Amino acid sequence: MQKSASASSLGPGGLDLSNIFFKPIQNTSPPSPTKRHTKISVIGAGNVGMAIAQTILTQDLADEIALVDAQPAKLRGEMLDLQHAAAFLPRTKIIASTDYSVTVGSDLCIVSAGARQIAGESRLNLLQRNVALFRGIIPPIAKYSPGTILMIVSNPVDVLTYVAWKLSGFPSNRVVGSGTNLDSSRFRFLIADHLDVNAQDVQASIIGEHGDSSVALWSSISVGGVPVLSFLDKQQIPYEKETLEGIHKAVVDSAYEVISLKGYTSWAIGYSAANLARSILRDQRKIHPVSVLAKGFYGIDDGDVFLSLPALLGRGGVLGVTNVNLTDEEEQRLRKSAQTISKLQSQLGL
Amino acid sequence: MQKSASASSLGPGGIDLSQIFFKPTQNTSTPSPTNGHTKISVIGTGNVGMAIAQTILTQDLADELALVDAKPDKLRGEMLDLQHAAAFLPRTRILASTDYSATVGSDLCIVTAGARQIPGESRLNLLQRNVEMFQGIIPPLSRCSPDTILMIVSNPVDVLTYVAWKLSGFPSNRVIGSGTNLDSSRFRFLIADHLDVNAQDVQGVFKVEEVHNKWQELSKEAYIVGEHGDSSVALWSSISVGGVPVLSFLKKQQIPYEKEALEKIHKAVVESADEVISLKGYTSWAIGYSAANLARSILRDQRKIHPVSVLANGFYGIGDGDVFLSLPALLGRGGVLGVTNVHLTDEEAERLRDSARTISEVQSQLGL
């Protein structure tokens, strides 16, 4: 039976009960080949990484969770803090190391590590620092789990998902960015809160670049199946374009608002990533707006660009991209985002 | 229908769809009197309070969650961060305010707020500052929810649970401290990890010892001479794995074990919290799960036994003043329904009474 190093004897210089407490049953040692052991690795044990790890643990999404970070003390502290809850949770193996070998055999690797923007630093410079960081993260992950699905959460997520794709050598269906999954949740929360309806009955997508130039798909908004804008049209209720833009801006600003109030965001992105993890690992075939290779969709062909599009997710990763009916304006904004990202990427030397 | 202030129109200066999107059904405005609406309030939105709030949210334990803290910005940020996950969770109303009126009608109030120790500060002084803080927390909480169950997480938990009990005027069955529920989990984790068994199959009662040691230190600062007892570990006899009592198993197998080995294991558990603090700066996740675990037992009337801080008078000969200590307590919707009759040796019972006396003497200096 495998045991963590610290538990080889019970307590320092202590008892070893392990060989006497149970009478072993013969011939159990190769586990059944159909054994479904799910392993998730989380890279980066900061506020975001730990919120993701803890939500995954609470929602019982994995049999094994591996944590990796560059700071060994913080990493060990976080691992112990999760392990100490053992009596309150389904049994999950929790391991941690600064060495990537701990991620071996992962079904899903979630990367939340990222450099923080220094005051006055240009986006390009920050990006270049993050690319350097990813050169130390992505290749070992890919080496230790060549069949894994890679989920990038670090910002700017679209470019970094592209970077992860290039550095891993994986097929594009196995590399996904958390993208606008959370923006869409915030959007749905705003609408649901106003109508006093469950947010899960509100369908609403924000796609495109995760950030200021994301695209709100107004025609996609429906509540209990009723498309909102055409409802307004039929009821002859006027609305102004600026109003819609105000709502979208409120969504974009939400993240900044939380950061200005509590210093960072963590809980919501934790739930968002766990939600994506569940769709993938439990083969849910659900549609999520996540950052995928957008080339070939909606007239985007300026190089290999990752952008959030409504994607069908399952155990194989990205199974397809839904054919949403975009207005000309929405398509144009998407293509413009693609161009901007493409230009930025070309300066990264990948 | 109730709506949060920010949602009165959709977007700034925006559309108001709320009156037109749904055709209302008549006569729904008085909810059924048997409406099982569960509300939990968490006081203190630091690392511990937020880990508790988030775990409660993920485990779908409440219909409504209220957060209270003294810092309005941090508080609002934390509330928004939870609300933004609405699409991924069962619908839970989340509100936050620096004003205790937000806690009205709570079924359970969890207090995590506490002063941080200033370097060089005596423990008694820290305690006195915490008592002052509680004087601003407990009375409004109990006024806003006179029937609530009060759960204290702030440390030192035994004394602060006593303080909360005095300040609230509640019957003692409705005031508990999170106590040693978490230490038990750590202990069970250690044993379970060694035996490669599920931690939930390790049963036992723990930690009378830590209470004793902690209060020996504190009593010195309070100018009361305490006693260095020998540190024999209590309650090992209660530990079982899958129902098999561990110590008698060892005896029957004629496997020798040293008292020191048991003490070292106990010591490792006691030091676990300090280890996590020295590594990551604080603990949060484990106490979050522990408090949510207690919340579930109480609100879902699970009648489970947990080692939590309860009024210990009348048990094991404790009678010198009112003292809260961790004892294995039966928890349900009414709070503390009983205390299990764990067998203590004479030595263990004496140490427990010692601890109680020490705590009582410190409490008498708090002026409550």
Side-chain angles (χ1 to χ4, degrees), chain A residues 41-54 65-82 94-98 100 110-114 116 133 137 154 264-266, chain B residues 279-282 284-285:
Chain A
S41 289
V42 178
I43 317 304
N47 294 312
V48 172
M50 287 316 298
I52 293 173
Q54 190 262 16
I65 295 176
L67 304 174
V68 180
D69 195 274
Q71 297 169 54
K74 163 87 164 143
L75 182 63
R76 180 173 165 76
E78 294 289 4
M79 175 192 77
L80 289 175
D81 207 5
L82 291 181
I94 301 166
I95 59 181
S97 177
T98 51
Y100 283 85
I110 303 175
V111 182
S112 68
R116 275 220 189 141
L133 200 83
I137 295 176
S154 325
Y264 55 91
T265 82
S266 58
Chain B
L279 292 168
K280 65 174 259 194
Y282 55 90
S284 58
W285 309 125

Side-chain angles (χ1 to χ4, degrees), chain B residues 180-194:
Chain B
T180 61
N181 194 48
L182 175 53
D183 303 72
S184 298
S185 173
R186 290 183 175 127
F187 199 171
R188 290 159 72 186
F189 163 72
L190 266 188
I191 298 171
D193 196 44
H194 173 68

Side-chain angles (χ1 to χ4, degrees), chain A residues 4 58 84 89 185 193 200 271, chain B residues 4 58 84 89 185 193 200:
Chain A
S4 50
T58 316
H84 290 165
L89 289 166
S185 173
D193 195 45
Q200 284 158 39
Y271 287 116
Chain B
S4 49
T58 315
H84 291 165
L89 288 166
S185 173
D193 196 44
Q200 285 156 39

Side-chain angles (χ1 to χ4, degrees), chain A residues 283-342:
Chain A
D283 199 24
Q284 294 294 290
R285 301 181 74 86
K286 279 185 143 183
I287 300 164
H288 296 267
V290 285
S291 198
V292 296
L293 185 61
K295 190 170 180 181
F297 298 102
Y298 306 106
I300 295 167
D301 52 22
D302 306 78
D304 298 321
V305 160
F306 278 72
L307 278 179
S308 282
L309 294 174
L312 186 70
L313 298 184
R315 188 61 187 84
V318 183
L319 310 174
V321 172
T322 61
N323 250 333
V324 181
N325 207 8
L326 298 184
T327 63
D328 291 335
E329 187 189 343
E330 288 164 347
E331 257 198 54
Q332 221 175 348
R333 291 176 68 181
L334 259 192
R335 280 201 292 270
K336 197 150 177 281
S337 284
Q339 276 159 12
T340 315
I341 295 174
S342 190

Side-chain angles (χ1 to χ4, degrees), chain A residues 23-30:
Chain A
K23 257 195 174 58
I25 294 179
Q26 300 307 321
N27 300 326
T28 60
S29 43

